[in-house]
Structures are given as C-alpha cells and as structure tokens.
Amino acid sequence: MITGKNYIGNKLSALGTISHKTINPKLNIENPTKFIEATSEEIEEAAQLASQAFKVYRKVSGKGKAAFLNAIADEILALDQELIDAYTTESGLPEGRAIGERGRTIMQLKSFADLVSKENWKNNSFDEAIPERQPLPKDDLRKTVIPLGPVVVFGASNFPLAFSTAGGDTASALAAGCPVILKAHEMHSGTSELVASAIIKAAEKTSMPNGVFSQLSGRGPVVGSALVNHPKVKAVGFTGSIGAGRAIFNLASMREEPIPVYAEMGSINPVVITPRAIDVRGEAIATNYASSITVGTGQFCTNPGLLITIEGDKTDDFIQDLAKKTVAIEPQCMLHPNIKAGFEKNGEIVSSQKGVKTVAKMEGEIKNNFAASQIVTVSGVDFLANAKIHQEVFGPFSLVVKSKDEAQLIEVIEALEGQLTGTIIAEKEDVENLIDIVDALSNRVGRIIFNGVPTGVEVCPSMHHGGPYPASSDSKFTSVGVDAIYRWVRPVSYQSFPTELLPESLKNN
Amino acid sequence: MITGKNYIGNKLSALGTISHKTINPKLNIENPTKFIEATSEEIEEAAQLASQAFKVYRKVSGKGKAAFLNAIADEILALDQELIDAYTTESGLPEGRAIGERGRTIMQLKSFADLVSKENWKNNSFDEAIPERQPLPKDDLRKTVIPLGPVVVFGASNFPLAFSTAGGDTASALAAGCPVILKAHEMHSGTSELVASAIIKAAEKTSMPNGVFSQLSGRGPVVGSALVNHPKVKAVGFTGSIGAGRAIFNLASMREEPIPVYAEMGSINPVVITPRAIDVRGEAIATNYASSITVGTGQFCTNPGLLITIEGDKTDDFIQDLAKKTVAIEPQCMLHPNIKAGFEKNGEIVSSQKGVKTVAKMEGEIKNNFAASQIVTVSGVDFLANAKIHQEVFGPFSLVVKSKDEAQLIEVIEALEGQLTGTIIAEKEDVENLIDIVDALSNRVGRIIFNGVPTGVEVCPSMHHGGPYPASSDSKFTSVGVDAIYRWVRPVSYQSFPTELLPESLKNN
C-alpha cells in the first residue's frame, strides 16, 4: 500500500525522477520503496489546490471540521498493523512507542475536533453600539478570528506520528480552517504516506474540498524551500533542528510578503539541582535522571541536556552515580544513521572543549545506529567562557555544570539561550532561597518544573511548549495543546454589520 | 523647557555632535531648538539601563504599574499649554486636534492602567493535578504570561502624542512590564522631549527603576538601527511607512536572536460602493467621503484611498460629485515638507499610470506645505494590470476603480495587498448579494465596516487595528485597544510548583 508517490490533493502523483529510500536503522539496511521527490509542477499544483480549497474550507463550520478531524483519527486507526510496522521499520523505535504515539496522535486530533465543534475557542468579543454617545456615537463592534490561509507543515524526525503528517501542527491548522501542505520527513516517508492516505480518505468521506491536504516528498531543502517561498502559502509549522528551522525562518522573513514561521527547535532544558536535594536524595535523583536522559534514546526536545549544580564532594559523588546509572541503561537504536552521526559529532565537539571532562561513556560493543550514552562535567567558569558548550547534543548526553556558588549558578542560567523548559530539583527547606533562581529561569524558558523531569509533555490547556529563541521562533505560541490553534488564525473586527452578513459565531452577543 | 537632549534613563544627555531642528510647516520655518542625535555610547547606556531596569520592573505589581501609567497621564496634563504649543508648532495640526489627541493619549494610558490593575488580562489557565491517573499521574500545571524584555518604540509622524512617546505602543509595553526605549520622530522632537520629561517625572514619583524609560533623538536610520540590533532589546513597536517598517523588520529578523516587530504600516483601506447605494443616496455618500478623504489632511492610516464601484452613468455622476466636493474642502497644512513632497511624488506616480484619469485636483494658490486634494479614476482592467496603482498616497488623495461587473470587483479586492480596513457601502436590498464581497474582503483586511467610514478608530476590546502584510508585520496583533498589550508578553507554564514560588496571580486557582 506504500507507493512512494506524493499526494497532490487527493491524487497520487510521481512526475519526478529524483528519489530516496528510507532506512531501517535497527537492521542498518534500506527499506525497499523508492520515494519520488515532488517536482516544481507538483509543488505548484499543490499550492494552487490549497489556495482554491481555502476559499471553501475557511467557510466549513466548526462541526464540519470536527467531523473531518475525527474521521482522520478513525482512518489512522484503520491502518492498523501496517502503520505500526512502517513506523518501527523506519524509526528504529519499539512497537510500544509506536502504539503510544499513535494514541497521542488520535487524542490530539480528537481534542482539536472537540475544541472547534464549539465556538468559544475564538474568544469573540462584543462592544454594543451607543448611538447617543457624545461627541460621537459609538458603533457596534464585534471581533472574531479567521484562518490565515494555506499552511506548510514540516514533519519532524523524532515523532513520526505525533509531530508529522497528522500531528499537532496539521491537526491545529486544519482545525483553524487552513489547508495543509505537508513536507514529509525523508526519514519516515512510508509512515507519512500511510497517514496521508488516511487524511485523504477522511477528506473524501466528509466532503472536504480537494486540496485541503497534500503531501510532498523530498530529500534536502529543495521542496521545502519552494513551498515556503510560494506566494499562496501563508504560514509554516516546523519541528526540528535550529539549523533547518532558522533557514526556513530566514526564507519566510525575506519573502515579498513575509509569513509567520512557528518553528520548535532545539533546547538543552537546564535542570538546577540544589546541594540539599543531592544531600537528602541524591541517589533517587540520579536514578530518575538517568532514565530521563536516556528515554527515547534522548531524542526528545525536552531531553535534560544540562544539569546545573553547586560544586562540593557530595556533588561529585552525585555526578559519578548519575553517570554510572546512565551508562548502565541498555543502549537503544537511534532514528537514523544521520542522527547517530550528528549525536557523535556534537558529543565530541562539546566533550573536547576546554575544561569539559567525561565522567562516563558507555563502552563495549554497540550495535549499528545504537547510541552510547555519555555524561560530561565542566566548571561554571569554563561553561560561561565558551558558548560551544551550551549547544544541544541530540541524544542520550548530558552536561553537568559545577558552579562555585549560587551567584555563579544564576550567571550560568542568564548566559543560556532560550529554552523550552527549566527544572528545579530542591527540598522544601530550599524554597525560600529559590526566588532568584526561579526569576532567572523564567526569563529564559517557556515552562518551569519543580521536582520533576522535563520529558513527558502533558497535552492540556495550561501546557506551554515553546520558549525564547532558539527554543522556538515565536515564544508567544505553543506547539502542544489546544492553544496551538492560535498560530493559524488572526483577528477581524466587524463594525456596524448587518446580522445576516456576520460570521455565525458573531450573530448573537 | 525643551533642551534638545536625550533622556538616558532619568538623565538628560547630549554627548553627540550631530543635530537637527524641527520645522513649523505652517510658517515653513525651522523651530529654534537643536536636537542632538544620540551617540553609540548613549544608545549602549540606554539599552544596558533598560536591561537592568527590566529585572526590577518585571516584578512590579499590576497596581504599581497602574500607578506609574496614571502618573504619566497626570504629568502630561501638567505640561498644559507648553505641550499644545510644541505640538501645533511642530506638526502644522490645529490646536483642537492637539487637545483631542492629548485626550486620547491620556485615555489610552488610563485604560492600560485599568487593565493591569487587575490580573484577569493574563488569561491564566489552571489544570489540577490528578495523582491517581493511569498509566501516569497528571501534574499540577498553571499558565500565565510574562513580559518579553526591553522594547524599542518608534514614534509616528502622524500622531505626535497618541502614537509617539507616551502613545499606545509605550503605554501597552509599560503595562506589560517591559521597559521602553523611544526613538523620537525627528519631525516632532520637542513634543517628544516634553512628553518624555513627563514619563521620567512619573517614574521618579512612583519609584520605578532608572532605565524603565529612555528617549533618543536622531535623524535617519542610524539610531533606530542600532537600537533594533542591540542584543538587550527584545521587541519593537513601529507605526509609519512600509519602507521604514520593512527595513526594521528585516534587521530584526536577521539578528542572531530574531525579535518580533509589530509594525503598523500603510493601507489604502478599500471602500466598496454598490450601484444601488449610489442610486439611492449618492450625494450623501459623496459628502461623507469627501470629508473622510480630507480629514487630518488625509494623514491617517485608515484614510480611504481606494473606492471600488461598478461602472455606469450614475457611477460617473457620483465620481464627479465626490471629486467636486473633495476639492471644495479648504486645504490644510501637512505634517512636514517631506510629507508634502512624498504626497506630491506618489500622487503623480499613481496619476500617470496607464488608464488613470484625474477627475479633479484642487487648483489655485495653495500655501506652503498645504495639500491639494485629488480624486482620480481607473477601470477595473487597468487597475488589475498594474500594481503601481495599488500603492498608498499618504494624504488627501483617492482612486476610484470602475469595475465592469461584480466578478471583476471581487477580482480587484482579491488583487489587493493586506489592508487595515475594508468598507462596504450598500442598501438593505443589497445585503443578500454581498456574501462573496464580504468573504473576499475579510480575507484581505483586519476590520470590515458596513455603511460607515474607516477613519475614526474606536478604542475598545472589539477593535482590531492591524491586518495582513503590509498593513501590519504581524496580522495577529492590534496596535489600538487594550489587546495591544499581548504584543509584549509570552506564556510560561509552571508545573508542580510550590505556592510560595508561583507568581501572585497563579497562587489561587
């Protein structure tokens, strides 16, 4: 059922000659299907179809969009084992993760369906007319939100389902009333095609306009750049590396009509651990963090890549213990040989900086594309002196900073780039002394966690998944949770409008 | 009391050697004071002070910020006639407008004070913990918003008070908890200095940190560019031309850490007039629009620069009547010789395009810097063929498009760039046939008006003043009304946080 073709609206298409295959990282072999890169004609057709579809789709009722989203969820479930097999074959991730991530994807689609089936997410606002006001009468004014237009979404490497073809960006854009053109991630093109077929089926079953969804294949930046530069495209969603996210942001900003890019990029997710916490329950923290550092082979954007401590004998013992526990966890397969190569290269760059010492690195024979976890340490002074040490190593790798005192610990926090999360591990007795740390951390992150781990992102209204640059390109918006819909809409006011011409949700105050 | 100096925090400073004078456009002479351009040292000091002030100011309570904003309003009123004189001398605008605009400025400051004195503007969100949830417990999550950091605001030429030193951008940024560095508009440096002195007095009286506000002078882009590029600056507010706004947007986007720019730029504010409306009340519409086109010498961002009609004898009569009425209105002074020169140059560019005919242009002797109003007309075909005709002519100038039918009228709307407003002038009997026009218009604008004029922007929660590019650089945000505060904040989630460490407004669910 995987054909290797693009979906240009509801039509399978493969006009091009450039192709790629996906890789089974566990077996370290190529998977059989050839995926044909979209041509410029196919890109043009997808964009024109999306623009035409927008004229119809933007007027589909909330209940109509909800039916579409729920139908996508049903069609994804109907793909059954074929989807799970494609997922595990292309990602090296275990079946349990595939099933869990499918569940999350379904839940996301259903929660956006739920959201838009009522109108209150639009936060409509009403100001009544005051005809007798002096010196000038006040007109009736009502405000709602409307969709931006066709959206390009880039599939993420590390979430082949929940942040790819029918993932959070697509679900939120479709819920908002925006057609989506998906640039599938080259590492899981088969999984993406299966999910695209589910979206197309759902669109047909619920009578959505052709072009409400297209999916294009392509390796490297050619297809993605053409999409971002297309005048009919009005916004972009992206989850991935800082390099790729920034390149997309630059393209979008330099267009004749600049468009917004919601890119969720890297993060090292600093974790502050107080000396008292180490003293009271160092071993439990080490156990917990060894697990958080290695879960999903460290391939989460909320992976704790930086632990910030204050130096001391007990801190040294804690770091030794953490390192021992981390490297004792059985190695797992990474998503792709390129991800493994990046992990090794970036790990070496950080490890080889002045003052950085490796505490432990997993040794012995490791299978192809499996990751050797590593814990390194550095002094506060050396960390502050060298921004290269602040960079993300995507994988099971953590750096422990030993600050000389609390003032330096705060300096370390203030020197960080923007982050998705910051965590504080502390005892009750520490609380009154943590105000400055909380203050410094909140100025650098989008979510602060107390005595927990940053991995595991709850999908709920109070979740914010985003942060100051480069954690995301726009710190105002979240890519997780129902508020993600606000990336794809803009406000419009209606002044003195006849009821018949108002959008449904503005007809009654 | 006008010294020509910069305010670097609460200190008057003039280290530089470059200077400029403002112009009294009515008398066409220079005003006496020399305004000293800020040096790079002064820019650096203002940015460092703002960054230091932010650490304190971001923690000032809502009531504390409200007291500061209200004190600014009081200090502006205390400037009394000196401020009104500076305003009229530097802008050529009449005293009544100066007093009215001061009133609006005061009202804006007070409405933001009102907003932040309570906490509900933050739209806080609370998710309770569910410790017994399976398979994983749910943590307590709470979300609020926090300020971005120091903001640079560019004063607008056409609102020396309401969109300049203590205008909407400054008031909303200070209300949000962001220090402001103001780049004063070179056309009204004296007015700006007086208002800056009021802000500084208010900051001292209410014990705000030094650096919460600075104001820098400078002609041309040097000072502004240095401010936009400064790493301590985290966002920019701007009202003005597309050229200047886009240049600032480009600088901000290409920084190592890109920052958001909220630029409210040009707009031609299309007005659709149905044949039936012309038939029933053409003369009244012409009277109303002659006034809207010339009010404030056409120097409003909501000025109706484009009227879209359907061709016919009655339409021709209407256009003749509109033109006659427009040029019969007494000419008024423009803001500055440069504004006048731009008005003439851009008016000539549009008038000289293929198919554009001047219906009437005010003739006879006109005083220096006063504007000769002009009405031109063009066919739908010629309009669609030439984007040069779509450009804004800032001043009392309007283009009337004669579409051949409704389909072409919709094509004309769809061909427009993004706009602040769109207006429909129609009769009750037209309403059922207007759905496609409303649909096309809403996709191009931020506010739609029925049977009114776009000039006159009500300050209320349902007002949206912004639109697709180039009306504004970010169509999601308004620069008028209390929602303007959301430009300067970002969400932060707190997970499993001890009550003592939560921001005040998150302590109680």
Side-chain angles (χ1 to χ4, degrees), chain B residues 381-444:
Chain B
V381 172
D382 285 330
F383 184 83
L384 288 168
N386 183 355
K388 273 190 191 163
I389 313 181
H390 307 195
Q391 300 313 304
E392 183 180 14
V393 179
F394 190 71
F397 179 100
S398 254
L399 168 69
V400 188
V401 175
K402 294 192 277 187
S403 320
K404 75 173 161 46
D405 52 23
E406 191 193 303
Q408 192 177 61
L409 184 144
I410 287 176
E411 262 188 274
V412 166
I413 294 170
E414 289 177 343
L416 295 174
E417 293 185 306
Q419 304 288 333
L420 290 168
T421 73
T423 302
I424 297 171
I425 306 290
E427 294 303 292
K428 265 194 186 157
E429 295 78 5
D430 289 322
V431 164
E432 60 184 317
N433 298 317
L434 290 175
I435 291 165
D436 291 345
I437 291 174
V438 171
D439 193 40
L441 210 50
S442 64
N443 196 40
R444 300 280 71 212

Side-chain angles (χ1 to χ4, degrees), chain A residues 267-283:
Chain A
S267 195
I268 52 174
N269 302 295
V271 179
V272 173
I273 309 178
T274 67
R276 188 179 274 117
I278 288 176
D279 198 19
V280 173
R281 53 189 170 100
E283 206 197 322

Side-chain angles (χ1 to χ4, degrees), chain B residues 109-191:
Chain B
L109 287 159
K110 285 182 190 276
S111 63
F112 282 109
D114 217 44
L115 182 76
V116 298
S117 64
K118 289 149 250 153
E119 297 283 0
N120 51 338
W121 69 272
K122 293 180 179 171
N123 298 326
N124 291 342
S125 154
F126 299 83
D127 278 278
E128 268 179 62
I130 310 176
E132 68 281 8
R133 189 181 67 174
Q134 291 300 331
L136 287 169
K138 182 176 177 179
D139 287 345
D140 180 283
L141 263 167
R142 298 163 189 231
K143 187 166 69 174
T144 187
V145 290
I146 65 170
L148 295 180
V151 166
V152 166
V153 172
F154 286 80
S157 69
N158 62 340
F159 277 95
L161 291 173
F163 284 92
S164 289
T165 302
D169 288 348
T170 300
S172 55
L174 291 176
C178 298
V180 169
I181 304 174
L182 207 299
K183 164 63 181 67
H185 200 284
E186 65 198 50
M187 292 184 190
H188 45 70
S189 313
T191 309

